[in-house]
Amino acid sequence: MRIDLNADLGESWERWRSGDDVALLDVVTSANVCCGAYAGDAELMRVTCEAAVARGVAIGAQVGYPDRENFGRVYVDISPAELTAELLDQVRMLDDIARSIGGTVTYVKPHGALYNTIVHHERQAQAVVDAICALDRPLPLLGLPGSLVLDLAAAAGLPVVHEGFADRAYTAAGTLVPRSEPGAVLDLPDAVAAQAVDLLGRVSSICVHSDSPGALQLARAVHAALEHAGATVASGS
């Protein structure tokens, strides 16, 4: 069984300078690189892409609401046309940067509130799909299994990737528990690793957030547990 392990990266110069982001790139197989809308900047995108390319880690465009004040984790009421244009600019900017250092963007993953909104919000979900369809190639879209956006993407002929979260709690309906609720973020390595193994066979990519407490330790625990369970941890790109 093959499984991708991804992490959100390029969101913080503090984490980059501490070495945490670089160390995560030695563990994960795909890097969801922040495209500068909710955090980060062009230079952080460049150095993150350079480090990913050097390690053979796939580069994904982590797109989100243009809302740096709330780190992209609050719903933004934006028109579908504006959202499509915004996301298209984000992906193209990261792809230009990645290509300049010998890499390329190989998938798209929405971030934060946008990710959760397009599970059920038809207009914004369609705006995300429209942005990807406007690119020069049909990039795969990562999303929550059963989400509306993945249905729309598949209907548009786009490749879709079902994603699970090792470090987030789930509701009975299969959606993510809001971060505002107690227990929404899992931070014990054994629990996070066990959840990752439980996700095997149900998803194609598993995420560990780089801003979770002890993210590097969690990612290492997940990687080891997946391999112990017989999975090959490798990018699908």
Side-chain angles (χ1 to χ4, degrees):
M1 184 180 299
R2 184 186 181 102
I3 187 76
D4 177 45
L5 180 59
N6 75 73
D8 305 339
L9 296 164
E11 297 175 329
S12 164
W13 274 112
E14 181 180 358
R15 284 205 306 272
W16 179 263
R17 294 184 178 115
S18 74
D20 288 352
D21 274 11
V22 179
L24 273 171
L25 284 167
D26 289 324
V27 180
V28 302
T29 52
S30 292
N32 317 318
V33 181
C34 174
C35 295
Y38 63 89
D41 55 42
E43 179 60 15
L44 186 52
M45 293 159 70
R46 185 187 65 78
V47 295
T48 303
C49 286
E50 283 183 337
V53 169
R55 291 162 174 78
V57 173
I59 297 170
Q62 176 101 322
V63 298
Y65 292 129
D67 179 21
R68 300 179 75 86
E69 181 179 355
N70 296 297
F71 196 66
R73 286 181 172 157
V74 174
Y75 170 75
V76 175
D77 187 7
I78 182 174
S79 75
E82 289 177 303
L83 182 58
T84 294
E86 170 66 34
L87 301 183
L88 191 54
D89 286 346
Q90 290 181 36
V91 178
R92 284 173 171 166
M93 180 181 181
L94 180 64
D95 197 42
D96 285 346
I97 291 171
R99 287 177 182 275
S100 75
I101 52 86
T104 186
V105 170
T106 59
Y107 65 91
V108 176
K109 177 184 171 179
H111 163 80
L114 178 60
Y115 186 100
N116 292 315
T117 295
I118 57 179
V119 169
H120 55 77
H121 192 298
E122 184 172 3
R123 296 178 71 203
Q124 290 204 358
Q126 187 62 57
V128 171
V129 172
D130 289 346
I132 300 174
C133 287
L135 296 169
D136 61 359
R137 60 197 187 280
L139 292 178
L141 174 65
L142 266 67
L144 201 68
S147 62
L148 176 59
V149 72
L150 292 190
D151 291 342
L152 293 173
L158 295 175
V160 298
V161 178
H162 290 175
E163 181 184 33
F165 292 84
D167 57 358
R168 292 294 308 278
Y170 284 85
T171 68
T175 57
L176 299 179
V177 174
R179 285 179 175 268
S180 58
E181 296 185 14
V185 178
L186 310 181
D187 57 8
L188 297 178
D190 287 348
V192 171
Q195 179 152 297
V197 171
D198 186 57
L199 287 165
L200 281 173
R202 295 190 283 148
V203 300
S204 299
S205 187
I206 295 175
C207 176
V208 175
H209 288 87
S210 64
D211 64 337
S212 289
L216 180 58
Q217 183 182 7
L218 297 181
R220 286 171 172 162
V222 166
H223 195 289
L226 292 172
E227 289 191 329
H228 183 73
T232 298
V233 183
S235 168
S237 302

